[in-house]
């Protein structure tokens, strides 16, 4: 198919450059209600996106169109003509497409290649339900998705890279029948390889959290300020904020508050100074990829060192607009270095540990961090117990100036980061 | 502009494939989708021309295997129905281990129904050149309004939806369009930034562009006010919600809670409250593809069920939920035409369509006058449901302080509303006679399965926790 698309592109003299993205994808999906398998799904898809570039008056115009496998050569000719027509109204500053380099792409390995997709989904299901055997606790719903995908990027400068990877997503709802009421939490795990023991452990852990929510109480009314420990899945959003502020596109569009060489945590940092590396590959992290959608072969870079941004990063075009000679490409994984305090040290004094949120808000525009907490733990200096029905809120700038990061780290879909972030001075509502 | 030729051409193949698969399976349906259009975005530096976010083309074949349901999603239907049916049968056949995990569910009915629905954009048809020119001109207009503006974005997106639903006895076809236009303004001063947007939506692009065109000044004014906004002092306040914020409450507080696939999964507290008070006696709420003409409107849903208008809350009492076909079968209820897929690549779930509180009898000025100290809240940002435990978080863009019954010039941002759903709904003490529904939103189920929805209602006076 790609050869036919290239032929259609080369046959049109008005096309100055082009890029084709292909994603071949197969999946096996299982949908459970309680332990009962209700629906199974399989997908078999092949998707193409063609971007056509046309140069005029010093500008570079572009437009992206989908191409389908059923299209005839005449259809493809029409797609190219329509894309050219649309691109001819786009007056963007000129930029080069990515040129190929000699590099051996990282092979993303997974134990999922040892089984069929349906078998992989079944192995995950068995691992999940192995933990679903506790009195009063159960899973209300479980959804399992396993994917086998092949990616290819080809452009008119000679780029032609492809890579293959397996991935999976597990969503489940741990439920607990408490004395007062039934409660539930939400869990979502993304994986690049199947580790049944880890899945079983994480489901068990989630059921314990649901149990804790069932016995959780409101915070004592007198607690208005207290040290907050951010933990759980949403903590990654805080670190994503640092990376998004240093993205070429954010900077070029004057929407960044960070400057290279100047502390991104303010003048007088009282907590840990942050260290962030961007990388294309971390074993078993779903987002790993050796090359981005422009065809840039990706390499690890140090983004922030001791709170000081060292460079911007992002897609080639935006890097070129900023005058970067060798743009980094869109690196998929964020690695945040461990901090100075162990969790045990953080937990010596009274604290509120937040582990499940309605959605942690990290908003650089209005300088806000906070949100409603569905499950937390309060340690009053003597006793630790589960709490619910409260919100936290405060200044994002103050939070990052004062935060301490845990020595312990965790790995999720697109990040390796400290499990806990200690912040003083947040409002408890 | 009209129903997709691609689907028209595939219809005979779809009917043949259904008959072939029916030899092996007791129920077979095919949903064909062809959703295209154009999305054009300009900002101070660049212009992009592409497809709308939810563009899709493909098929999902659903079969009943005697126990439960199996689906196969593909880009196209193969030309040999016999060979293709054999392939599908192989793909959907489960291993003994997985089969053992299935227990019997009721089979879907296949009642005869042949109908076509057509709702094209009746206004002027725009070329890509004209839309780019519109976006570019408006972007320039916003940028020159104030020296503090660092960026402006204008986006126009028109989606054209063609869908076909085929079973042995059913042939449904629909075509409709929807246009969204959004203006964004970004200001920066002394290390502070504000980012605000205004938008209009309609099934008529000409009307949409005309209405949004006049909102540049309003956008710039709000962005500047929010730039200098303060954080709210956390606490419980009397508030008045603008219809856009009202819609967020309708959607997050109770919409998700009455999605009946949540009933099936024992994930909804609302199931035990049918016939009971869940809100103040002056509160009524509706959802449905036919409840209001907006982005959630369609003729039939992705299960092939005709869209409806469902009264969810009447005078404070929960009447019923909304459901997809499979959930209705499991619950022994009638489906309400709320079975929606993100695309042919995804499963159908119970989803909201157009969700809104019904108007009351109060006047907005009386509502403001009734508040000693509180806030008027504007513009949805995001929210999160908790259908089992009825916690709620709604984030709106900004609020304006009300003091001694008068709206001041004091802005707060951001505004996070949180609390317990029945407390919030039962605190509603005044409802204005307005009704505005906004079709600019996306809704996820948990953190995935994005579909377009609208929500809204009148101005509400309630008492909520702000932080």
């Amino acid at each position: 198919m790609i050869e036919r698309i290239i032929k259609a592109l080369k046959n049109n003299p008005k096309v100055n450059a082009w890029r084709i993205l292909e994603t071949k994808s197969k999946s096996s999906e299982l949908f459970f209600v309680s332990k009962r398998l209700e629906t199974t799904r399989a997908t078999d898809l092949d998707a193409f996106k063609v971007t056509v570039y046309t140069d005029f008056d010093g500008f570079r115009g572009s437009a992206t169109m989908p191409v389908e496998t059923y299209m005839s050569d005449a259809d493809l000719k029409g797609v190219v003509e329509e894309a050219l027509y649309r691109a001819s109204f786009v007056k963007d500053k000129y930029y080069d497409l990515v040129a190929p380099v000699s590099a051996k792409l990282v092979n993303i390995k997974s134990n999922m290649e040892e089984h069929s997709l349906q078998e992989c989904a079944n192995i995950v299901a068995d691992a999940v339900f192995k933990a679903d055997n506790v009195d009063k606790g159960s899973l209300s719903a479980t959804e399992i998705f396993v994917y086998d995908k092949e990616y290819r990027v080809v452009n008119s400068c000679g780029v032609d890279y492809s890579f293959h990877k397996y991935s999976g997503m597990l969503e489940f709802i741990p439920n607990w029948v408490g004395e007062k009421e039934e409660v539930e939490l939400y869990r979502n795990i993304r994986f690049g390889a199947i580790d049944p023991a880890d899945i079983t452990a994480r489901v068990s852990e989630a059921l314990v959290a649901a149990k804790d929510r069932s016995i959780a109480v409101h915070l004592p009314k007198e607690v208005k300020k207290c040290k907050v420990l951010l933990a759980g899945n949403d903590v990654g959003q805080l670190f994503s904020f640092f990376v998004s502020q240093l993205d070429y596109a954010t900077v070029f569009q004057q929407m960044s508050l960070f400057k290279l060489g100047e502390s991104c945590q303010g003048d007088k940092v009282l907590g840990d100074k942050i260290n962030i590396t961007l990388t294309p590959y971390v074993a078993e992290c779903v987002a790993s990829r050796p090359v981005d959608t422009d065809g840039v072969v990706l390499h690890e870079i140090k983004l922030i060192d001791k709170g000081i941004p060292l460079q911007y990063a992002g897609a080639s075009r935006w890097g070129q607009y900023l005058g970067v000679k060798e743009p980094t490409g869109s690196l998929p994984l964020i690695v945040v270095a461990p901090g100075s305090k162990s969790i045990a040290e953080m937990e010596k004094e009274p604290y509120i540990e937040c582990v499940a949120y309605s959605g942690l808000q990290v908003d650089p525009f209005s300088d806000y961090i906070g949100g409603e907490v569905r499950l937390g733990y309060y340690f009053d200096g003597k006793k630790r117990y589960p709490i619910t029905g409260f919100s936290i809120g405060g200044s994002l700038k103050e939070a990052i100036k004062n935060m301490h990061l845990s020595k312990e780290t965790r790995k999720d879909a697109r990040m390796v980061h400290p499990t806990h972030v200690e912040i003083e001075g947040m409002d408890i509502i | 502009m009209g129903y997709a030729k691609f689907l028209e051409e595939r219809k005979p193949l779809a009917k043949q494939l259904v008959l072939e698969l029916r030899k092996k399976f007791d129920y077979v349906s095919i949903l064909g989708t062809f959703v295209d259009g154009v999305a054009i975005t300009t900002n101070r530096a660049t212009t992009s021309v592409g497809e709308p976010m939810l563009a899709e083309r493909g098929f999902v074949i659903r079969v009943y295997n005697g126990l439960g349901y199996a689906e196969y999603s593909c880009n196209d239907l193969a030309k040999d129905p016999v060979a293709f049916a054999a392939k599908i049968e192989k793909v959907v056949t489960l291993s003994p281990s997985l089969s053992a995990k299935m227990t019997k569910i009721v089979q879907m009915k296949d009642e005869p129904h042949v109908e076509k629905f057509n709702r094209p954009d009746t206004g002027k048809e725009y070329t890509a050149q004209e839309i780019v020119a519109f976006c570019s001109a408006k972007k320039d207009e916003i940028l020159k309004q104030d020296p503090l503006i660092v960026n402006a974005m204008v986006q126009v997106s028109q989606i054209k939806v063609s869908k076909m639903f085929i079973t042995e006895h059913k042939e449904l076809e629909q075509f409709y369009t929807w246009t969204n236009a959004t203006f964004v303004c970004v200001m920066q001063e002394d290390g502070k930034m504000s980012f605000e947007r205004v938008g209009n939506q309609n099934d008529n692009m000409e009307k949409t562009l005309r209405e949004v065109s006049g909102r540049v000044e309003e956008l710039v004014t709000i962005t500047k006010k929010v730039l200098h906004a303060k954080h709210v002092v956390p606490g419980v306040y009397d508030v008045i919600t603008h219809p856009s914020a009202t819609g967020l409450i309708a959607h997050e507080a109770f919409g998700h809670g009455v999605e009946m696939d949540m009933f099936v999964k024992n994930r909804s507290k609302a199931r035990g409250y049918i016939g009971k008070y869940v809100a103040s006696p002056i509160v009524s709420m509706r959802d449905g593809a036919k409840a209001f003409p907006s982005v959630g409107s369609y003729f039939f849903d992705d299960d092939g069920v005709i869209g409806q208008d469902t009264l969810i809350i009447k005078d404070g009492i929960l009447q019923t939920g909304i459901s997809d076909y499979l959930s209705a079968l499991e619950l022994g209820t009638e489906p309400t035409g709320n079975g929606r897929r993100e695309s042919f690549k995804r499963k159908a779930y119970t989803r909201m369509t157009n969700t809104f509180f019904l108007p009351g009898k109060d006047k907005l000025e009386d509502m403001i006058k009734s508040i000693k100290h509180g806030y008027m809240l504007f513009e949805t940002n995001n929210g999160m449901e908790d259908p089992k435990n009825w916690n709620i978080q709604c984030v709106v863009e900004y609020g304006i302080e009300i003091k001694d019954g008068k709206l001041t010039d004091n802005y707060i941002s951001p505004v996070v509303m949180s609390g317990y759903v029945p407390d919030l709904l039962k605190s509603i003490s005044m409802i204005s006679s307005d009704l505005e529904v906004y079709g600019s939103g996306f809704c996820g189920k948990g953190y995935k399965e994005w579909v377009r929805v609208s929500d809204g209602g009148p101005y509400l006076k309630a008492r909520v926790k702000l932080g």
Side-chain angles (χ1 to χ4, degrees):
Chain A
M1 186 73 193
I2 279 197
E3 287 66 33
R4 288 176 52 222
I5 300 171
I6 292 173
K7 192 178 164 194
L9 289 160
K10 285 185 173 173
N11 279 347
N12 193 320
K14 291 180 183 170
V15 174
N16 294 108
W18 47 264
R19 181 192 65 172
I20 305 167
L21 295 173
E22 181 184 12
T23 308
K24 278 185 187 170
S25 163
K26 289 185 178 181
S27 76
S28 178
E29 306 166 11
L30 306 177
F31 300 84
F32 290 88
V33 174
S34 186
K35 288 183 182 176
R36 174 172 60 86
L37 182 57
E38 180 208 64
T39 299
T40 65
R41 286 180 43 77
T43 64
D44 187 355
L45 307 165
D46 198 357
F48 297 88
K49 281 192 174 178
V50 177
T51 304
V52 168
Y53 303 86
T54 183
D55 301 333
F56 55 97
D57 303 336
F59 297 111
R60 168 151 273 193
S62 68
T64 300
M65 299 278 290
V67 166
E68 304 293 343
T69 48
Y70 59 77
M71 287 180 167
S72 66
D73 289 346
D75 291 336
L76 294 177
K77 184 171 177 258
V79 166
V80 172
E81 282 170 0
E82 177 63 22
L84 261 176
Y85 165 73
R86 293 182 176 192
S88 67
F89 312 120
V90 175
K91 292 182 175 180
D92 285 350
K93 187 178 168 185
Y94 183 85
Y95 53 98
D96 290 317
L97 293 200
V98 172
V101 295
S102 173
K104 192 179 175 193
L105 302 188
V106 175
N107 184 15
I108 303 172
K109 290 185 177 176
S110 170
N111 61 2
M112 291 162 75
E113 61 199 24
E114 295 160 16
H115 307 277
S116 73
L117 288 180
Q118 196 185 88
E119 285 167 351
C120 287
N122 197 25
I123 291 168
V124 174
D126 286 340
V128 168
F129 292 113
K130 195 175 174 186
D132 187 3
N133 57 6
V134 289
D135 187 29
K136 296 184 180 176
S138 62
L139 302 181
S140 305
T142 301
E143 296 187 357
I144 297 163
F145 302 78
V146 290
Y147 297 99
D148 175 355
K149 291 189 180 184
E150 282 180 59
Y151 301 87
R152 187 173 175 191
V153 52
V154 187
N155 76 13
S156 51
C157 292
V159 158
D160 187 353
Y161 299 120
S162 54
F163 65 96
H164 171 266
K165 71 175 179 180
Y166 287 90
S167 63
M169 199 277 271
L170 164 64
E171 183 186 79
F172 60 98
I173 310 295
N175 183 76
W176 197 271
V177 182
E179 288 191 6
K180 287 182 288 183
E181 61 172 351
E182 281 187 48
V183 299
E184 69 171 33
L185 290 168
Y186 172 92
R187 287 288 188 273
N188 179 324
I189 299 170
R190 291 176 191 272
F191 50 89
I194 299 174
D195 180 347
D198 180 60
I199 289 170
T200 304
R202 291 171 78 169
V203 175
S204 294
E205 183 190 312
L207 284 165
V208 170
K211 179 186 178 185
D212 285 348
R213 192 180 185 194
S214 78
I215 55 171
V217 296
H218 289 284
L219 259 176
K221 282 186 179 170
E222 62 272 18
V223 182
K224 298 289 182 196
K225 292 268 182 189
C226 181
K227 179 170 82 176
V228 168
L229 305 183
L230 299 180
N233 286 340
D234 286 18
V235 176
Q237 289 191 43
L238 176 59
F239 303 118
S240 294
F241 148 73
F242 286 91
V243 177
S244 66
Q245 283 287 300
L246 292 169
D247 189 279
Y248 294 144
T250 311
V251 175
F252 183 72
Q253 298 190 72
Q254 300 181 44
M255 291 166 71
S256 173
L257 296 168
F258 291 1
K259 287 186 178 143
L260 296 186
E262 293 181 15
S263 170
C264 61
Q265 295 174 264
D267 293 337
K268 293 175 184 172
V269 182
L270 303 173
D272 287 340
K273 292 180 177 173
I274 195 162
N275 293 286
I276 294 182
T277 300
L278 301 181
T279 188
Y281 178 78
V282 172
E284 295 162 17
C285 277
V286 176
S288 294
R289 59 182 304 152
V291 58
D292 76 0
T293 53
D294 288 320
V296 177
V297 175
L298 302 168
H299 300 284
E300 184 170 299
I301 64 155
K302 182 92 179 177
L303 189 73
I304 302 175
D305 185 42
K306 293 175 188 151
I308 308 290
L310 301 179
Q311 61 178 309
Y312 303 124
S316 172
R317 171 190 182 178
W318 298 100
Q320 291 179 54
Y321 282 177
L322 288 176
V324 177
K325 283 187 181 169
E326 288 185 24
T328 63
S330 298
L331 284 145
L333 291 155
I334 301 168
V335 179
V336 184
S340 63
K341 285 187 172 182
S342 67
I343 297 170
E345 287 171 300
M346 291 178 175
E347 293 181 341
K348 278 182 183 167
E349 302 294 327
Y351 64 85
I352 293 169
E353 181 187 11
C354 307
V355 299
Y357 311 80
S358 291
L360 183 66
Q361 309 291 309
V362 179
D363 183 354
F365 292 106
S366 50
D367 182 29
Y368 176 82
I369 180 169
E372 197 237 355
V373 182
R374 292 186 179 179
L375 176 64
Y377 296 90
Y378 178 51
F379 175 63
D380 59 10
K382 293 176 185 166
K383 193 174 70 172
R384 173 186 149 102
Y385 53 91
I387 51 175
T388 190
F390 69 101
S391 299
I392 55 172
S395 158
L396 178 60
K397 283 180 185 168
E398 290 302 312
I400 62 176
K401 189 187 283 187
N402 300 321
M403 68 183 179
H404 283 93
L405 309 178
S406 67
K407 288 178 179 171
E408 295 84 350
T409 59
R410 59 178 281 179
K411 193 193 290 187
D412 60 27
R414 54 180 297 264
M415 208 178 289
V416 180
H417 62 85
T419 58
H420 286 61
V421 179
E422 179 188 270
I423 301 173
E424 300 276 1
M426 291 186 83
D427 290 317
I428 314 297
I429 309 145
Chain B
M1 183 191 284
Y3 185 70
K5 190 177 158 203
F6 170 72
L7 293 181
E8 214 168 85
E9 289 173 351
R10 296 303 187 271
K11 189 173 169 184
L13 270 179
K15 290 169 76 171
Q16 287 174 49
L17 182 61
V18 165
L19 292 180
E20 197 57 40
L21 285 166
R22 278 284 287 111
K23 293 174 185 170
K24 299 283 183 180
F25 300 101
D26 292 334
Y27 174 88
V28 179
S29 71
I30 298 178
L31 174 72
T33 69
F34 191 97
V35 180
D36 68 346
V38 65
I40 293 174
T41 307
T42 59
N43 60 37
R44 69 174 302 143
T46 60
T47 300
S48 76
V49 182
E51 280 210 305
M53 258 183 76
L54 296 182
E56 52 160 323
R57 279 159 289 271
F59 298 88
V60 56
I61 297 115
R62 176 191 258 173
V63 301
Y64 177 68
N65 64 13
L67 286 174
Y69 291 86
E71 294 185 345
Y72 176 70
S73 296
C74 53
N75 297 106
D76 198 4
L77 303 178
K79 285 180 182 158
D80 179 352
V82 177
F84 195 37
K87 180 185 173 184
I88 292 168
E89 186 189 352
K90 194 176 169 192
V91 173
V92 302
T93 299
L94 300 181
S95 66
S97 170
L98 275 175
S99 281
K101 293 180 171 80
M102 261 193 168
T103 52
K104 196 172 174 68
I105 308 171
V106 185
Q107 185 186 319
M108 291 180 173
K109 290 177 193 165
D110 182 15
E111 287 164 351
H113 189 172
V114 178
E115 196 167 349
K116 293 181 181 180
F117 173 86
N118 190 33
R119 196 196 70 202
D121 185 336
T122 52
K124 169 180 158 61
E125 195 161 340
Y126 287 78
T127 64
Q129 183 177 14
E130 287 170 324
I131 302 172
V132 170
F134 172 86
C135 293
S136 192
K138 287 295 164 188
K139 176 254 303 176
D140 290 341
E141 187 182 336
I142 297 168
L143 282 172
K144 69 183 181 192
Q145 295 290 315
D146 194 294
L148 296 179
I149 296 173
V150 293
N151 205 351
M153 186 182 87
V154 174
Q155 183 175 61
V156 174
S157 167
Q158 185 181 51
I159 197 161
K160 300 173 188 172
V161 179
S162 295
K163 291 193 179 184
M164 148 179 107
F165 188 85
I166 304 286
T167 63
E168 189 176 1
H169 301 297
K170 201 177 269 192
E171 290 176 27
L172 301 175
E173 292 170 16
Q174 63 183 342
F175 173 74
Y176 55 89
T177 67
W178 191 257
T179 298
N180 281 73
T182 309
F183 293 175
V184 173
C185 177
V186 186
M187 285 190 188
Q188 194 172 145
E189 185 182 41
D190 300 332
K192 280 189 76 179
M193 292 183 80
S194 60
F195 176 104
E196 291 303 319
R197 65 184 190 282
V198 295
N200 282 72
Q201 321 85 33
N202 203 285
D203 57 3
N204 180 317
M205 185 185 278
E206 189 178 3
K207 191 176 174 197
T208 306
L209 300 190
R210 190 171 58 239
E211 287 179 356
V212 78
S213 285
R215 301 188 65 187
V216 170
E217 196 179 327
E218 171 196 350
L219 171 68
V220 173
T221 303
I222 292 167
T223 311
K224 199 160 189 175
K225 294 283 186 190
V226 172
L227 182 67
H228 300 119
K230 294 182 175 162
H231 287 178
V232 65
V233 176
V236 177
Y237 295 94
D238 284 330
V239 301
I240 293 171
T241 55
H242 179 271
S244 67
T246 299
L248 181 61
I249 293 172
H251 185 96
E252 301 297 348
F254 231 81
H256 280 293
V258 294
E259 291 170 338
M260 289 169 79
D261 54 352
M262 297 297 194
F263 289 18
V264 175
K265 294 168 185 169
N266 186 31
R267 291 197 58 202
S268 172
K269 192 174 236 180
R271 187 179 185 182
Y273 281 76
I274 303 276
K276 295 179 184 171
Y277 275 100
V278 291
S280 153
I282 58 172
V283 172
S284 296
M285 181 176 137
R286 286 187 180 278
D287 175 276
K290 286 188 177 166
F292 197 91
S294 191
V295 71
S297 302
Y298 45 71
F299 170 50
F300 62 86
D301 72 4
D302 293 336
D303 290 329
V305 176
I306 305 303
Q308 296 172 27
D309 175 5
T310 307
L311 181 63
I312 295 171
I313 300 173
K314 185 184 178 194
D315 302 330
I317 297 173
L318 181 60
Q319 305 294 308
T320 183
I322 52 176
S323 72
D324 63 295
Y325 195 1
L326 186 51
S327 300
L329 277 179
E330 297 213 47
L331 295 165
T333 58
E334 289 298 316
T336 60
N338 288 79
R340 302 182 69 187
R341 300 172 188 269
E342 178 179 292
S343 76
F344 73 94
K345 301 171 192 171
R346 311 291 298 185
K347 184 181 181 291
Y349 299 81
T350 300
R351 305 306 301 271
M352 280 174 270
T353 52
N354 309 303
T355 314
F356 53 95
F357 287 115
L358 299 185
K361 293 175 180 171
D362 295 299
K363 288 181 180 168
L364 177 60
E365 52 266 38
D366 294 337
M367 295 167 73
I368 295 170
K369 273 181 199 165
S370 73
I371 292 180
K372 177 84 177 155
H373 183 230
Y375 293 93
M376 192 155 166
L377 308 179
F378 296 82
E379 295 295 337
T380 295
N381 183 304
N382 70 77
M384 181 49 75
E385 75 274 19
D386 185 16
K388 183 69 177 257
N389 301 112
W390 279 353
N391 286 322
I392 182 177
Q393 173 169 293
C394 294
V395 184
V396 299
E397 293 285 346
Y398 64 95
I400 303 175
E401 190 174 26
I402 301 170
K403 259 186 180 172
D404 298 325
K406 287 179 185 164
L407 213 51
T408 68
D409 199 30
N410 304 326
Y411 280 61
I412 53 167
S413 179
V415 185
V416 181
M417 272 189 283
S418 58
Y420 185 58
V421 169
D423 290 349
L424 193 160
L425 295 184
K426 286 178 180 173
S427 78
I428 295 172
S429 55
M430 296 177 88
I431 301 178
S432 80
S433 56
D434 311 270
L435 174 61
E436 289 181 47
V437 175
Y438 299 90
S440 57
F442 283 88
C443 167
K445 188 105 168 166
Y447 291 84
K448 58 184 181 65
E449 315 297 345
W450 297 98
V451 296
R452 297 301 298 262
V453 293
S454 75
D455 50 44
Y459 291 88
L460 302 179
K461 180 186 172 188
R463 193 160 175 80
V464 299
K465 183 164 78 174
L466 302 181

